[in-house]
Amino acid sequence: MNSRISNITNLKSKVDSKSIGIAFGAGGARGIAHLLMIEALDELGIKPSIISGSSIGAVVGAFYAAGFNSKEMIEIMNQLINPKSDSVFDFLLKSDIVKLFTMFEPQFIKSGFIKGEKFQKYYETHLKVSRFEDLKIPLKIVATDYWKKEEVIFEKGDLIHPIKASYSLPGLFTPVKIKNRILIDGGAVNPLPFDLLIDHCDITIAIDVTAVKAQSDREIPPTFDSVFTTYQTMQNSIIKERLKFLKPDIYIRPEIYDVRVFDFAKADLIFKQARPAKEDLKRQLDKILV
């Protein structure tokens, strides 16, 4: 035990002389794995000096930048996906599709199937921070300008609407309008925004939670799955191409199978599959900080 504490102390002293940036990528429910990566940093006594996030990574990044640790973030997640009640209503909420509609109120209009205002209110209430300037750690959030088809980076001013814009998956969530720009999911242009950090820190960590190849690939997918999987295929291609020309110091990609975009109820499965990646992150940090 004393040896472990000594190792952590030594590692922290090495970190103090180097700045670390961490990028949390897009990936829907697989973004729950980001919490384990934060847990790894917490266990090592490490805090990043700058954070970036895209889509679900923007939500996680905002909470982390606001000062929440992994334990607190896991508790908030559990409150969201596991209501503390035995009522029939709460039992029904355990259904992925019902929970999706309850968390993100559906709307039958052409701009998007889900308005997302309930979820926005939920994270706004728990985050307790409404501006980038109030965060404890600098944060960069990525969204996509729908009409200009280009990346938009937010790092100052209002925090809440850029988060919503960053996870507004095309065709599902209503786009967000900010300063005459129509914005959609940041994963459309930059699903793993580690490139935003490289000039601002000594060590860059990129957490890629995009989909890996399915274990069973012989069945014709349901309609929604085929649409979302096509979008994720595009994200994988963007990341692969970017990694050919620019690489983070530490690249972590948890191998998470059989988890769809909105399978947030599979948190336990996601954690189980992501634990090897958490240990890999700790090993790589220990090695690079020697």
Side-chain angles (χ1 to χ4, degrees):
M1 182 67 177
N2 290 336
S3 175
R4 180 174 179 273
I5 294 174
S6 177
N7 289 338
I8 291 175
T9 301
N10 291 335
L11 184 61
K12 190 177 186 305
S13 65
K14 296 171 185 174
V15 172
D16 289 341
S17 63
K18 295 183 179 181
S19 59
I20 294 177
I22 185 165
F24 297 110
R30 289 183 301 278
I32 288 175
H34 288 318
L35 304 186
L36 277 190
M37 307 308 127
I38 294 173
E39 184 176 79
L41 298 183
D42 288 346
E43 290 174 359
L44 295 173
I46 294 174
K47 282 289 185 184
S49 60
I50 188 168
I51 299 167
S52 65
S54 183
S55 199
I56 186 66
V59 179
V60 173
F63 274 91
Y64 195 25
F68 289 80
N69 59 37
S70 58
K71 182 179 179 181
E72 292 167 335
M73 293 170 70
I74 290 172
E75 287 177 355
I76 291 173
M77 179 199 70
N78 286 334
Q79 290 173 20
L80 183 61
I81 65 177
N82 296 307
K84 294 182 178 179
S85 171
D86 294 327
S87 70
V88 173
F89 178 73
D90 285 337
F91 175 77
L92 289 174
L93 290 182
K94 295 182 184 298
S95 163
D96 286 353
I97 193 67
V98 175
K99 177 164 287 294
L100 171 63
F101 287 168
T102 304
M103 186 189 308
F104 308 102
E105 66 282 18
Q107 57 171 5
F108 296 94
I109 59 176
K110 63 181 181 180
S111 62
F113 188 58
I114 298 170
K115 291 169 65 178
E117 291 177 359
K118 285 186 179 180
F119 180 56
Q120 177 187 325
K121 188 65 177 178
Y122 185 88
Y123 69 70
E124 184 177 359
T125 299
H126 286 77
L127 191 59
K128 299 178 182 178
V129 174
S130 61
R131 297 184 64 81
F132 280 89
E133 291 81 1
D134 296 328
L135 296 170
K136 295 182 179 180
I137 301 172
L139 171 69
K140 295 177 182 287
I141 288 177
V142 177
T144 302
D145 187 312
Y146 177 80
W147 291 113
K148 292 185 177 181
K149 300 173 176 60
E150 64 184 19
E151 177 181 72
V152 180
I153 301 168
F154 292 93
E155 53 187 324
K156 61 182 179 179
D158 174 57
L159 173 65
I160 303 304
H161 288 93
I163 295 174
K164 183 180 179 182
S166 190
Y167 68 68
S168 291
L169 199 64
L172 185 63
F173 290 99
T174 306
V176 177
K177 187 175 182 179
I178 300 177
K179 293 183 178 178
N180 295 320
R181 279 183 156 179
I182 305 302
L183 304 170
I184 60 172
D185 189 85
V189 288
N190 196 348
L192 187 60
F194 66 88
D195 57 302
L196 305 184
L197 307 179
I198 288 178
D199 293 334
H200 302 280
C201 57
D202 300 313
I203 299 170
T204 306
I205 303 170
I207 310 299
D208 181 0
V209 291
T210 51
V212 297
K213 184 178 179 296
Q215 291 181 314
S216 175
D217 56 5
R218 298 183 182 278
E219 298 180 2
I220 296 177
T223 301
F224 273 126
D225 277 2
S226 65
V227 172
F228 295 143
T229 299
T230 299
Y231 187 69
Q232 292 170 75
T233 300
M234 177 195 72
Q235 292 178 332
N236 285 340
S237 297
I238 291 172
I239 293 172
K240 286 180 181 178
E241 284 302 308
R242 182 158 293 174
L243 288 172
K244 290 180 181 178
F245 305 99
L246 190 66
K247 295 183 182 296
D249 296 290
I250 297 177
Y251 172 74
I252 300 293
R253 190 183 190 195
E255 293 189 6
I256 301 172
Y257 298 95
D258 300 323
V259 175
R260 297 169 298 174
V261 173
F262 284 102
D263 276 343
F264 289 95
K266 293 184 177 180
D268 290 342
L269 175 63
I270 294 168
F271 281 148
K272 180 179 179 181
Q273 295 187 75
R275 289 198 182 281
K278 170 192 170 182
E279 296 307 316
D280 184 29
L281 173 58
K282 293 173 74 172
R283 284 193 296 270
Q284 290 198 51
L285 276 169
D286 187 49
K287 182 178 180 180
I288 204 170
L289 291 169
V290 169

Short mmCIF file of all heavy atoms in Angstrom, two decimals, residues 9 78 94 118 154 161 166 170-171 203 211 214 222 232 244-245 278:
data_model
loop_
_atom_site.label_atom_id
_atom_site.label_comp_id
_atom_site.label_asym_id
_atom_site.label_seq_id
_atom_site.Cartn_x
_atom_site.Cartn_y
_atom_site.Cartn_z
N THR A 9 2.56 9.37 -5.86
CA THR A 9 3.17 10.65 -5.51
C THR A 9 4.26 11.02 -6.50
O THR A 9 4.36 12.16 -6.95
CB THR A 9 3.75 10.60 -4.09
OG1 THR A 9 2.71 10.28 -3.17
CG2 THR A 9 4.37 11.94 -3.72
N ASN A 78 -26.02 7.47 -12.98
CA ASN A 78 -26.94 6.46 -12.42
C ASN A 78 -28.30 7.05 -12.10
O ASN A 78 -29.33 6.39 -12.27
CB ASN A 78 -26.32 5.83 -11.17
CG ASN A 78 -25.19 4.87 -11.50
OD1 ASN A 78 -25.16 4.30 -12.59
ND2 ASN A 78 -24.26 4.69 -10.57
N LYS A 94 -37.01 1.65 -17.96
CA LYS A 94 -35.83 0.84 -18.21
C LYS A 94 -35.79 0.38 -19.67
O LYS A 94 -34.77 -0.11 -20.14
CB LYS A 94 -35.79 -0.37 -17.27
CG LYS A 94 -35.63 0.03 -15.81
CD LYS A 94 -35.53 -1.19 -14.91
CE LYS A 94 -35.46 -0.76 -13.44
NZ LYS A 94 -34.28 0.04 -13.15
N LYS A 118 -35.40 18.59 -22.32
CA LYS A 118 -35.43 17.96 -20.99
C LYS A 118 -34.02 17.54 -20.56
O LYS A 118 -33.61 17.75 -19.42
CB LYS A 118 -36.36 16.75 -21.00
CG LYS A 118 -37.84 17.11 -21.00
CD LYS A 118 -38.70 15.86 -20.87
CE LYS A 118 -40.18 16.21 -20.83
NZ LYS A 118 -41.02 14.99 -20.70
N PHE A 154 -16.19 26.17 -29.70
CA PHE A 154 -16.65 27.05 -28.63
C PHE A 154 -15.70 26.93 -27.43
O PHE A 154 -15.35 25.82 -27.01
CB PHE A 154 -18.07 26.67 -28.19
CG PHE A 154 -19.12 26.95 -29.23
CD1 PHE A 154 -19.51 25.94 -30.11
CD2 PHE A 154 -19.72 28.20 -29.33
CE1 PHE A 154 -20.48 26.19 -31.07
CE2 PHE A 154 -20.68 28.45 -30.28
CZ PHE A 154 -21.07 27.45 -31.16
N HIS A 161 -25.74 25.98 -24.51
CA HIS A 161 -26.18 25.75 -25.88
C HIS A 161 -25.10 25.11 -26.76
O HIS A 161 -25.43 24.26 -27.61
CB HIS A 161 -26.70 27.05 -26.49
CG HIS A 161 -28.02 27.48 -25.91
ND1 HIS A 161 -28.11 28.35 -24.84
CD2 HIS A 161 -29.29 27.11 -26.21
CE1 HIS A 161 -29.38 28.51 -24.51
NE2 HIS A 161 -30.12 27.78 -25.32
N SER A 166 -23.40 20.35 -29.81
CA SER A 166 -22.39 19.33 -30.06
C SER A 166 -22.94 17.92 -30.11
O SER A 166 -22.39 17.06 -30.80
CB SER A 166 -21.28 19.41 -29.00
OG SER A 166 -20.18 18.60 -29.34
N PRO A 170 -27.76 14.61 -36.42
CA PRO A 170 -28.61 15.00 -37.55
C PRO A 170 -29.81 14.07 -37.73
O PRO A 170 -29.69 12.85 -37.69
CB PRO A 170 -27.66 14.89 -38.74
CG PRO A 170 -26.31 15.06 -38.16
CD PRO A 170 -26.36 14.40 -36.82
N GLY A 171 -30.98 14.67 -37.92
CA GLY A 171 -32.19 13.92 -38.17
C GLY A 171 -32.88 13.42 -36.91
O GLY A 171 -34.05 13.04 -36.94
N ILE A 203 1.43 16.90 -23.22
CA ILE A 203 0.99 15.52 -23.47
C ILE A 203 -0.50 15.53 -23.84
O ILE A 203 -1.31 16.08 -23.11
CB ILE A 203 1.20 14.64 -22.23
CG1 ILE A 203 2.69 14.59 -21.86
CG2 ILE A 203 0.67 13.22 -22.48
CD1 ILE A 203 2.96 13.94 -20.52
N ALA A 211 -17.60 3.29 -32.72
CA ALA A 211 -17.95 1.86 -32.77
C ALA A 211 -16.82 1.02 -33.35
O ALA A 211 -16.13 1.43 -34.29
CB ALA A 211 -19.22 1.68 -33.59
N ALA A 214 -18.71 -5.02 -35.41
CA ALA A 214 -19.68 -5.84 -34.68
C ALA A 214 -19.22 -7.28 -34.60
O ALA A 214 -18.59 -7.81 -35.52
CB ALA A 214 -21.04 -5.76 -35.35
N PRO A 222 -31.82 -3.16 -38.19
CA PRO A 222 -33.05 -2.36 -38.17
C PRO A 222 -32.79 -0.99 -38.78
O PRO A 222 -31.64 -0.54 -38.86
CB PRO A 222 -33.37 -2.25 -36.67
CG PRO A 222 -32.64 -3.39 -36.04
CD PRO A 222 -31.40 -3.57 -36.84
N GLN A 232 -21.67 6.47 -37.83
CA GLN A 232 -20.49 6.07 -37.07
C GLN A 232 -19.37 5.59 -37.99
O GLN A 232 -18.18 5.79 -37.69
CB GLN A 232 -20.87 4.98 -36.07
CG GLN A 232 -21.78 5.49 -34.96
CD GLN A 232 -22.34 4.39 -34.12
OE1 GLN A 232 -21.65 3.80 -33.30
NE2 GLN A 232 -23.62 4.07 -34.31
N LYS A 244 -3.45 9.49 -39.57
CA LYS A 244 -2.36 9.27 -40.52
C LYS A 244 -1.40 10.45 -40.56
O LYS A 244 -0.22 10.31 -40.86
CB LYS A 244 -2.92 9.05 -41.93
CG LYS A 244 -3.66 7.74 -42.13
CD LYS A 244 -4.18 7.63 -43.56
CE LYS A 244 -4.95 6.32 -43.77
NZ LYS A 244 -5.50 6.23 -45.15
N PHE A 245 -1.92 11.63 -40.23
CA PHE A 245 -1.12 12.85 -40.34
C PHE A 245 -0.84 13.52 -39.00
O PHE A 245 0.09 14.32 -38.89
CB PHE A 245 -1.84 13.85 -41.25
CG PHE A 245 -2.18 13.29 -42.60
CD1 PHE A 245 -3.45 12.81 -42.89
CD2 PHE A 245 -1.20 13.23 -43.59
CE1 PHE A 245 -3.76 12.29 -44.14
CE2 PHE A 245 -1.50 12.71 -44.84
CZ PHE A 245 -2.78 12.23 -45.13
N LYS A 278 -8.93 1.32 -19.53
CA LYS A 278 -8.58 2.16 -18.39
C LYS A 278 -7.19 1.80 -17.88
O LYS A 278 -6.35 2.69 -17.63
CB LYS A 278 -9.60 1.98 -17.27
CG LYS A 278 -9.20 2.63 -15.95
CD LYS A 278 -10.07 2.20 -14.79
CE LYS A 278 -9.50 2.65 -13.46
NZ LYS A 278 -10.30 2.20 -12.30
#
